[in-house]
Amino acid sequence: MSVDGYLEAFRRSGSIVIVGASLAGLRAAEALRDEGFTGTLTMVGDEPHEPYDRPPLSKQVLLGKVPADHTALPRRRAVDAQWRLGTAATGLDLAGKRVSLADGDAVEYDRLLIATGVRARPWPHELEADLDGVFVLRTRDDAAQLHHRLKAGPHRVLVIGAGFTGSEIASACRERELPVTVAERGAAPLVGALGGVVGEVAAELQRAHGVDLRCGVQVTGLEGDSAGRVRRAHFSDGTAVEVEVVVVALGATRNTEWLADSGLGAGPRGIACDAGCRAFDVRGIVTDDVFVAGDVARSPHPLFGYQFLSLEHWGNAVAQAEIAAHNMVSASTDRLPHLWMPSFWSAQFGVNIKSVGVPPMADQILVTQGSLAEHRFTAAYGYQGRVIAAVTFDQAKWLDFYERQIEQAAPFPPEFPTVDRRPEGMRPVAAGFPDPSLPSHGPTVTLSGHSPTDRRVSFSPHRA
Amino acid sequence: MRLVVDLNRCQGYAQCAFLAPEVFTMHGDEALMYDPQADDRQRENVRRAADACPVKAITVEPEDAAAAGGKAGASRVG
Amino acid sequence: MTSVALLRQITDYANRPDPYPLYAELRKTPVVRDEDGPYLVSTYWEIKSLLHDPRVSSDARNLTPEAARGTDLEQDPNLPPAFIRLDPPEHDRLRRLAMRPFGPPHTPRRVFDMHGELTEIVSGLIDALRDRDAIDLVDDFSYPFPVTVICRLLGVPREDEKHFHEWADTIAASLDPPGTDEERQAQQESLRQARGDLAAYLAGLVEERRRAPRDDMLSAMATDHGPDGQMSPVEIITTAALLLVAGHETTVNLITNGMLTLLRNPDVLQRLRSDPGLAVPLVEELLRFEPPVQMLPQRTTLADIDIAGTIIPKGAPLYLMVASGSRDPQRFTDPDRFIPDRTDNQHLGFGHGLHNCFGAPLARLEAQLALTELVRRLDAPRLVEDPPPYRRNAVLRGPRHLPLTVSGIRD
Ligand SMILES: Cc1cc2nc3c(=O)[nH]c(=O)nc-3n(C[C@H](O)[C@H](O)[C@H](O)COP(=O)(O)OP(=O)(O)OC[C@H]3O[C@@H](n4cnc5c(N)ncnc54)[C@H](O)[C@@H]3O)c2cc1C
Ligand code: HEM
Ligand code: SF4
């Protein structure tokens, strides 16, 4: 059969399996139907729930404004799929094109999309992690349980790790007027994602809202009472606090174990794929029928030196799912690269934090508008003399402009005056990212390696 | 009714919080919080909000897509 | 046709009824320098990017001295500029302060809760048309409606509303400069008078509300203490005057353009009559198709800006031709068609970026309610002349009169 004929038949009556029935999985399913795929579609998800949205879990849900089970994602359209919910995929047979399931079943595919995302990294000491009152926050069920505990009014909550999730949890606790201690190994909250200069502002915000923020310390142990309830936490500086609830927010682990022997290039750092979302096998050769999207994927981005980016961002999951879906049902010449501009938001302590680009790549930062002290500002990040990222605190309307600057590889530091440039915006300073050789939990973007192959993408900014 | 806001697009114009205050609220000057499963009686207000959003960040589930699957096990649904 | 002559043609009164072909001509060169100095930007993406560009200023003090001459007609020389003519951080501080008594997060329900009152005002104005078979939609309806709304919002006592109507008239007329020098002078004189009277009146009312606050915006502005502190009396006056000016003529034109467009598209009028929910997208489409604000002529640049192959030099006056951008075929399919339920409709009718219209939610409700009620209650409305007579103003463009005949008024 000709290639065209194969594609036509596949689009009409082929079978596609999507493993991971969450944001990326659902949006891919919808996009497949939008693209005109009329074959069989199977959605495999280990959670018993239909796809739901996670960002509200650390915000509206913990504040008690929205019940955890009111977070189901709206459908953009009907997807007409076989749903295998509450069933984990346990293995992949690449040659036989088959996914095996925890219930003993197997499903065959012509093309497969892997969107298994990440899970919360648990507290490393198992016995301590099992204490009553110790939580992580990744799923709807986690959020329901944690909210239930917070509602009971614990006398103190400890949040371990001040990345985005940890900071949002601390913010929700303060808004509920609960005493909260935050322990962060780094020098400031958000330091892995946004660097030390902005991290300092995040620290000020936390303290201004009454958080007992302890940076540069590690939690060395959690202690329980005779009933197995957590009651005290010990820190590396020798101090201890009495706590009733502990939330472990130490970043995430990629859900790739089920692929261990599959021959796919899947490991603790995710599944590497090309810019067209096709997975690499262990030999570093790109596969034809296996695609990846969302938090579990690592893909090269031409704008950022072809580095493989893993982006645990909502917007990335949506955009990559759409590209993957398109490419799954398109001829190779019609395929599109995933060139999404990394972006995320976080709401904490009443402030809207947004970012574009890849801040952790930066060596310098410059406050181009507003002022750090007022907690309302726009800052540009520079890397080797060009703008590589930007962040806003309550100034989201300006972000579009900086996105264009990144796309155009505009020079850094920006020389031009702006409507609100202050004296502090005159000189760039070191962005203050922790030394990457030191261990650091959960930076939102991890950078590693270079793509050996895919240089065909025409989108490559150059500078004179 | 289910809805979601693409908060990467959202620039905090607050049109939604004016037009459907039961569903969308501003948290501080710019951070938006909303009820992802708003009461059906809010449909008209939510529609006003979605149409007014200057960056079209609000996705409301169309009524005909709502027949969604949700049970564990195998099923053939929406 | 040279693009150099285009601004003259756009402002030429003869082209007021239909400037859109001129905009189409203008878009052939997205950024062009007019012979009189300003740079005209007419394409959607370029306008949008400049509205979000931190090198673009709304503060006339950043114009080069030559460019600044004679621009400040609407600005009262005795008062500091209102926030529409300021840049951050002053703009942001004043806008936040003004927002506190008007909208979220502090007062999320003020506009929403005006629904009933707006309906009442609309009904009252339409009731007054009973027994008439000829009406002027502008004088009888579109014109009085928004002034009444702003008075209620601010908390102007009913018995004083008539003064506001007069001041609003005078200020609106000054936006329409007449031909001869003497007339112009006389108009400037009455404008000065009206502004002075308005400011003096507001000063008195603010003082009164400070002593005995009520549930209205002026009381809140006079007494409120928030994270940004308090507005000074002068700031309250300039802000209240801004709300009156920015929220008046614009809303008049939206409602009038709306009715005119409906009468030109009887099938759509019929649809709206049977499905009032259509008003929501329809008003958005009006803001794209016949926007009350045709251009934003108040911007300048803080640095040389390289855009669409042209360098706009620092301090140059910048005209953002938003009505043209909203009809850019690179952005909108079938841009010259009025499609009341258009979905992909991120028009520029309320501007964009940090100066995006403060009163947009209110204006939307006003227009949605007004048009729904007008089509429901006017029996067999017909246009008496098409095109109707327009105001002279090319920036805030709209009919001066919209004479209609009707067979009656329904209940
Ligand atoms: C509390 C919280 C707050 C957040 N806030 C923000 C925010 O403010 N801004 C932002 O940009 N992002 C935020 N995120 C991140 C965002 O939610 C994720 O980027 C997004 O959910 C990624 O979607 P995904 O579909 O790729 O992965 P996931 O949502 O992780 O979904 C993967 C799914 O696959 C399932 N699965 C895993 N293994 C298997 C298997 N073997 N078989 C079957 N199913 C499997 C998982 O159980 C899960 O349901 C937040 C995340 C959390 C947890
Ligand atoms: C249909 C009606 C309206 C239209 C088309 C309209 C349009 C606009 C536009 C295009 C701007 C941007 C100006 C700029 O960028 O320089 C603006 C700003 C503004 N509008 Fe409106 N407007 C309308 C109604 C109102 C109403 C009812 C109010 C008041 C209640 C109002 C108050 C304002 C204010 C205060 C600003 C300045 C905002 C700022 O500078 O931050 N407008 N309007
Ligand atoms: S109207 Fe749109 S941009 Fe504004 S707050 Fe709501 S969602 Fe965000």
Side-chain angles (χ1 to χ4, degrees), chain B residues 9 11 13-15 17-22 26-29 44-45 47-48 51-56, chain C residues 52 96 99 102-105 108-109 111-112 277 280-281 284 345-346 352-353 356 360-361 364-365 368:
Chain B
R9 296 181 77 99
Q11 298 179 358
Y13 287 102
Q15 298 301 304
F18 271 102
L19 297 169
E22 322 288 351
M26 302 311 290
H27 217 71
D29 290 324
E44 196 45 46
N45 291 335
R47 199 166 89 96
R48 277 182 211 273
D51 278 355
C53 173
V55 292
K56 296 287 175 279
Chain C
H52 287 264
R96 276 198 304 275
M99 192 53 87
F102 181 68
R109 301 196 62 109
V111 172
F112 191 78
V280 176
E284 299 306 315
N345 195 356
Q346 293 180 51
H352 230 273
N356 76 89
R364 287 185 156 109
L365 282 184
Q368 289 163 6

Side-chain angles (χ1 to χ4, degrees), chain A residues 344-383:
Chain A
F344 70 84
W345 79 93
S346 167
Q348 47 183 282
F349 304 103
V351 174
N352 186 28
I353 302 177
K354 297 187 78 166
S355 138
V356 290
V358 186
M361 265 179 88
D363 38 40
Q364 289 192 308
I365 187 171
L366 179 75
V367 179
T368 54
Q369 294 171 245
S371 134
L372 297 173
E374 291 166 19
H375 306 161
R376 275 197 199 96
F377 63 89
T378 303
Y381 291 85
Y383 172 65

Side-chain angles (χ1 to χ4, degrees), chain C residues 3-11 26 29-42 50 63-64 66-71 295-301 307 310-321 395:
Chain C
S3 44
V4 172
L6 275 169
L7 185 59
R8 288 249 171 104
Q9 291 191 48
I10 289 164
T11 50
L26 200 54
T29 330
V31 181
V32 66
R33 177 154 193 247
D34 184 72
E35 57 188 352
D36 294 330
Y39 283 76
L40 312 184
V41 185
S42 55
L50 289 170
L63 284 165
T64 57
E66 319 84 78
R69 247 191 299 284
T71 53
M295 57 189 107
L296 301 174
Q298 305 187 325
R299 300 296 203 281
T300 184
T301 44
I307 182 160
T310 303
I311 292 183
I312 305 173
K314 175 180 168 168
L318 192 57
Y319 284 21
L320 303 177
M321 311 299 282
V395 177

Side-chain angles (χ1 to χ4, degrees), chain C residues 76 79 164 167 192-208 237 241:
Chain C
D76 188 331
L79 290 173
F164 268 75
W167 295 322
R192 239 188 305 279
Q193 183 72 38
R195 273 199 194 120
D197 292 351
L198 172 63
Y201 174 86
L202 284 169
L205 190 59
V206 167
E207 198 36 48
E208 210 169 293
I237 292 166

Side-chain angles (χ1 to χ4, degrees), chain C residues 234-374:
Chain C
V234 169
E235 287 169 348
I236 299 178
I237 292 166
T238 54
T239 302
L242 170 64
L243 296 184
L244 179 67
V245 176
H248 183 223
E249 200 62 27
T250 47
T251 313
V252 176
N253 289 339
L254 182 60
I255 295 171
T256 313
N257 290 341
M259 206 52 205
L260 175 61
T261 307
L262 286 170
L263 289 165
R264 284 171 174 169
N265 295 272
D267 52 318
V268 181
L269 190 147
Q270 209 46 51
R271 273 178 69 191
L272 178 60
R273 201 172 264 165
S274 50
D275 172 17
L278 183 65
V280 176
L282 184 144
V283 165
E284 299 306 315
E285 177 69 344
L286 274 175
L287 285 157
R288 185 193 71 80
F289 186 76
E290 285 279 25
V293 179
Q294 296 269 305
M295 57 189 107
L296 301 174
Q298 305 187 325
R299 300 296 203 281
T300 184
T301 44
L302 298 179
D304 293 358
I305 294 180
D306 186 350
I307 182 160
T310 303
I311 292 183
I312 305 173
K314 175 180 168 168
L318 192 57
Y319 284 21
L320 303 177
M321 311 299 282
V322 284
S324 166
S326 288
R327 291 214 188 192
D328 185 345
Q330 305 277 3
R331 175 62 186 81
F332 297 101
T333 42
D334 267 342
D336 291 325
R337 265 184 64 210
F338 179 71
I339 304 176
D341 46 7
R342 190 184 281 274
T343 46
D344 177 24
N345 195 356
Q346 293 180 51
H347 58 74
L348 301 171
F350 284 126
H352 230 273
L354 85 162
H355 289 284
N356 76 89
C357 179
F358 176 94
L362 180 62
R364 287 185 156 109
L365 282 184
E366 288 180 71
Q368 289 163 6
L369 264 171
L371 292 175
T372 321
E373 280 301 286
L374 284 169

Side-chain angles (χ1 to χ4, degrees), chain A residues 50 75 79 83 85 175 354, chain B residues 2 7-8 10 61 73 78:
Chain A
E50 62 173 308
R75 304 294 171 88
V79 293
W83 292 82
L85 296 179
E175 205 166 321
K354 297 187 78 166
Chain B
R2 298 167 175 181
L7 290 163
N8 286 316
C10 168
E61 184 162 81

